[in-house]
Amino acid sequence: MLNLHAMKNIKSAKIIHLTLVLIITFFSCANDEGSITKIPEPIVLSFELVVSQQNTLRITANNTSTGINGLNSYWQFTENGPKVTDEAGPEMHLYDASGDYLVTLTVEAPEGDIQLSKTVTVTDSNEMQPPLKDATNSFSVGMAVKSSQLNTQHSDILIREFNNLTAEFEMKMNIMYPSQGNYDFTAADAIVNYGVDNNMNIHGHTLIWHTATPEWVNNFSGTDEEFEDMIEDYITTVVTRYAGVVRSWDVVNEAIEDNTNNLRNSVFRQRMGDDYISKCYQFARNADPNALLFYNDYNITFDVGKQEATFAIVDDLRSKNLIDGIGAQMHIDIFFPSATQIQSIIDGTVSRGLKMHFAELDVRVNPNNDLTFLTEARAIAQQNKVREVVELYNAIPDANKFALTVWGMRDSETWLIDFWGQPDWPLLYDDIFKPKLAHKGFLEALDN
Ligand code: 9MR
C-alpha cells in the first residue's frame, strides 16, 4: 500500500538523517574546595543510514552525534539484536533478506542510556522486479539519456533494464553542428560508444527538428541551393559517421503544425520547398541504406489533422522507399489519450507495413495541477496507464514492432516540470532510483 507516509519513506529511504537532541543538564555548583564542576557539552544524538546502491541489502550507519566524546556507544541493527560497538567512522551492516529493520544507536550517558532508533528498508535484489528488457524479445526497451548520466548511478539501471538508447538532446543539430563547418560529436560519441559497449541499439534522434536548429542555420546567408547542399552535407556527415552503429534515425521530427494538417513553415521548408522532407530522407538513405528511417511526432494518436498529415507524409516517403517506421511520441497523461486513440496510430502504421516506435513515453499524473505529492491513487492510475500502453504496443504484430522508449529515468529529471511549470511524476523511477508502480505496470503488460 502506498500512502503519503509511505511515499515520504520511499523518498528518504536511502539517506535517513535523524536528530535527537538530549541536553543533559548539570547544575554548576561549587564544591568544598571552591572549584567549579565542568558543565558537560550537550549531547545531540543523530545518525545517518545509507542503503548501498551496489548491494541493496547493505547499509552504512554513521554516528553524526556531537558531544559524546568519552561515552560508550553502540549499534543494534535489528530490534533487540546484538550490540555492536560504535567505532570511529561509518559502520557497515549486511542484512540477509529484504525487510524493514529497526536500527538503534545507544549512548551510555552519565544520566543513563539515551537512544535513537529508525527503521530502514532494504531489498534483496533477487526479489526486485525483473529487468524490463528481459520481459520481451519482440521489441527493444529504450531510454532517453544525457551523456552526463553515463557514469553515474543511472548506469546500473541503464545496463540492467534497457537495450535501446536515445540521446535526449545531444544528437540534435544545434549540438552536433553548432557552427558552419564545425561539427561537435563529443557528446554524441560518448552516448553511442556507451551503447555499443553495453550491447544496446542506438536510435538516432533527430536530424531535422525546427526546435533544435542552430541560429546560424536559421540565419543562413547563402542561396537556397547552398542551404540544401549544406543540409545534405550535414545529414551525410552524421549518418555516415554512425553507419552500422546507429541502426535507426528520426530524420525529420515534428514537421506538422498542431491541430492542422499543414506543414510547419520551418526554415527547411522555406529554403528547400515543400518536398524538403523527402529530400532529407533521401540524403539519409544514401548515407546508410541499412538504417531504419522514422518520422516522429507528438499528439498523432488523437490530433486528427496531425495524424492525417503524418500518414500523408509517410505515404509519400513510402512511394519512394524512404521510410521504415513511425514514431508516436507518447507524452501522455493518466486520463488521455484513450486506448482507442492510441490504437488508431498503430492501425495506420501496421496497415502501411511500417514499424511502430512508441517514442518518448512519459505519463503525467498531475495534468490539472491538483497534486503536491504523488498520491497512491495517482501512482496506481499511472501503473494502469503504462500497462495499457505497453499492452497495446505488445499486441502489434512482431514484424511491425520496433521499440518502446521511455523519456527519462527519474521523475525529477523530466523535461515536463520545466515545460508545464508544475510538479509531476511522469516516469518509471522515483528520485532514489527506486522503480515505481508504473514500472510494475510495464512488466505486468508483458507477463504472459
Ligand atoms: O527532453 C528533451 C530536453 O531535455 C531537451 O532540452 C529538448 C531540446 O533538445 O528536447 C527534449 O526532448 C524533446 C524531443 O527531442 C522531441 N519531442 C519533444 C521532447 C520534449 O521537448
Side-chain angles (χ1 to χ4, degrees):
M1 285 290 277
L2 278 181
N3 55 30
L4 169 57
H5 184 67
M7 290 308 296
K8 282 185 173 162
N9 275 346
I10 288 169
K11 269 199 145 197
S12 57
K14 298 277 163 172
I15 300 179
I16 301 166
H17 197 102
L18 304 160
T19 304
L20 176 76
V21 179
L22 188 109
I23 301 178
I24 301 176
T25 312
F26 289 90
F27 292 106
S28 299
C29 55
N31 64 17
D32 290 350
E33 281 79 40
S35 63
I36 305 291
T37 304
K38 203 175 160 204
I39 300 173
E41 276 182 55
I43 294 177
V44 181
L45 202 53
S46 65
F47 67 87
E48 211 177 60
L49 294 176
V50 178
V51 179
S52 163
Q53 287 291 318
Q54 283 73 39
N55 182 345
T56 45
L57 285 173
R58 190 171 72 213
I59 63 161
T60 304
N62 192 20
N63 181 353
T64 51
S65 302
T66 58
I68 58 169
N69 280 352
L71 302 180
N72 293 328
S73 56
Y74 48 86
W75 298 100
Q76 282 167 294
F77 291 109
T78 54
E79 198 164 6
N80 304 318
K83 290 176 177 171
V84 179
T85 305
D86 176 31
E87 310 279 2
E91 251 71 41
M92 287 219 295
H93 183 76
L94 183 65
Y95 290 98
D96 292 333
S98 298
D100 293 344
Y101 295 96
L102 194 73
V103 179
T104 305
L105 174 66
T106 304
V107 174
E108 290 172 344
E111 297 266 279
D113 287 358
I114 56 170
Q115 292 189 324
L116 178 60
S117 299
K118 184 62 191 176
T119 303
V120 63
T121 303
V122 296
T123 319
D124 184 342
S125 56
N126 295 325
E127 295 166 18
M128 279 161 49
Q129 296 178 25
L132 299 177
K133 69 176 181 193
D134 293 349
T136 176
N137 49 24
S138 64
F139 62 92
S140 59
V141 184
M143 172 54 76
V145 287
K146 302 176 171 122
S147 62
S148 59
Q149 297 170 333
L150 300 177
N151 293 309
T152 63
Q153 286 183 346
H154 295 76
S155 188
D156 287 350
I157 294 177
L158 285 173
I159 292 169
R160 180 181 137 84
E161 301 244 52
F162 297 92
N163 48 14
N164 204 327
L165 291 185
T166 305
E168 189 168 347
F169 73 97
E170 287 155 316
M171 291 177 79
K172 293 171 183 167
M173 192 178 195
N174 58 335
I175 306 293
M176 293 193 293
Y177 203 8
S179 61
Q180 187 161 14
N182 296 311
Y183 289 93
D184 182 351
F185 294 116
T186 317
D189 283 357
I191 291 171
V192 171
N193 291 337
Y194 177 89
V196 169
D197 289 348
N198 293 295
N199 301 315
M200 296 163 170
N201 290 332
I202 317 291
H203 178 66
H205 173 83
T206 171
L207 294 167
I208 300 290
W209 183 27
H210 63 285
T211 296
T213 307
E215 273 312 292
W216 71 266
V217 173
N218 283 323
N219 303 324
F220 190 79
S221 54
T223 64
D224 290 352
E225 201 185 342
E226 286 165 343
F227 184 95
E228 191 168 316
D229 288 348
M230 176 275 290
I231 292 296
E232 179 170 9
D233 172 72
Y234 155 69
I235 292 179
T236 306
T237 302
V238 174
V239 174
T240 306
R241 181 181 186 84
Y242 298 116
V245 178
V246 173
R247 306 271 171 77
S248 51
W249 278 101
D250 291 331
V251 179
V252 176
N253 191 52
E254 302 174 13
I256 307 156
E257 292 281 5
D258 291 339
N259 304 313
T260 71
N261 52 13
N262 301 328
L263 287 184
R264 287 180 201 275
N265 200 19
S266 66
V267 67
F268 307 102
R269 184 185 180 200
Q270 291 168 26
R271 293 301 205 122
M272 294 166 64
D274 280 359
D275 59 344
Y276 84 90
I277 296 180
S278 72
K279 288 177 182 172
C280 291
Y281 281 79
Q282 187 67 64
F283 301 150
R285 193 63 111 204
N286 294 346
D288 181 3
N290 296 319
L292 298 175
L293 305 183
F294 284 78
Y295 175 74
N296 193 55
D297 214 327
Y298 62 90
N299 294 359
I300 56 175
T301 54
F302 64 86
D303 180 334
V304 175
K306 244 183 163 176
Q307 190 182 92
E308 276 173 7
T310 297
F311 291 142
I313 288 171
V314 301
D315 285 342
D316 178 57
L317 293 171
R318 277 169 71 224
S319 70
K320 301 166 185 163
N321 189 26
L322 293 176
I323 187 86
D324 302 291
I326 297 177
Q329 296 178 19
M330 284 290 151
H331 298 301
I332 63 173
D333 66 50
I334 53 174
F335 309 111
F336 184 81
S338 68
T340 309
Q341 288 167 318
I342 296 172
Q343 188 64 44
S344 71
I345 191 70
I346 294 175
D347 291 344
T349 303
V350 170
S351 67
R352 287 170 170 78
L354 296 172
K355 292 192 183 298
M356 178 92 261
H357 183 195
F358 272 11
E360 307 185 24
L361 176 69
D362 40 39
V363 181
R364 295 165 73 205
V365 295
N366 192 28
N368 302 322
N369 201 14
D370 55 355
L371 293 188
T372 53
F373 63 92
L374 177 58
T375 60
E376 176 185 9
R378 295 288 172 88
I380 292 170
Q382 188 180 47
Q383 173 185 10
N384 293 338
K385 193 69 186 174
V386 168
R387 188 193 311 107
E388 176 184 278
V389 168
V390 180
E391 277 173 352
L392 290 166
Y393 191 82
N394 198 35
I396 296 173
D398 282 359
N400 304 93
K401 283 181 188 162
F402 171 67
L404 200 162
T405 296
V406 186
W407 206 241
M409 190 172 283
R410 292 186 291 173
D411 281 337
S412 56
E413 295 164 332
T414 178
W415 67 286
L416 289 161
I417 295 173
D418 279 350
F419 185 80
W420 291 103
Q422 61 195 49
D424 218 307
W425 299 265
L427 297 171
L428 303 188
Y429 302 85
D430 70 11
D431 291 347
I432 56 167
F433 296 95
K434 196 166 171 192
K436 295 161 55 192
L437 287 175
H439 182 279
K440 198 171 170 204
F442 197 120
L443 289 170
E444 286 166 346
L446 302 172
D447 190 13
N448 41 35

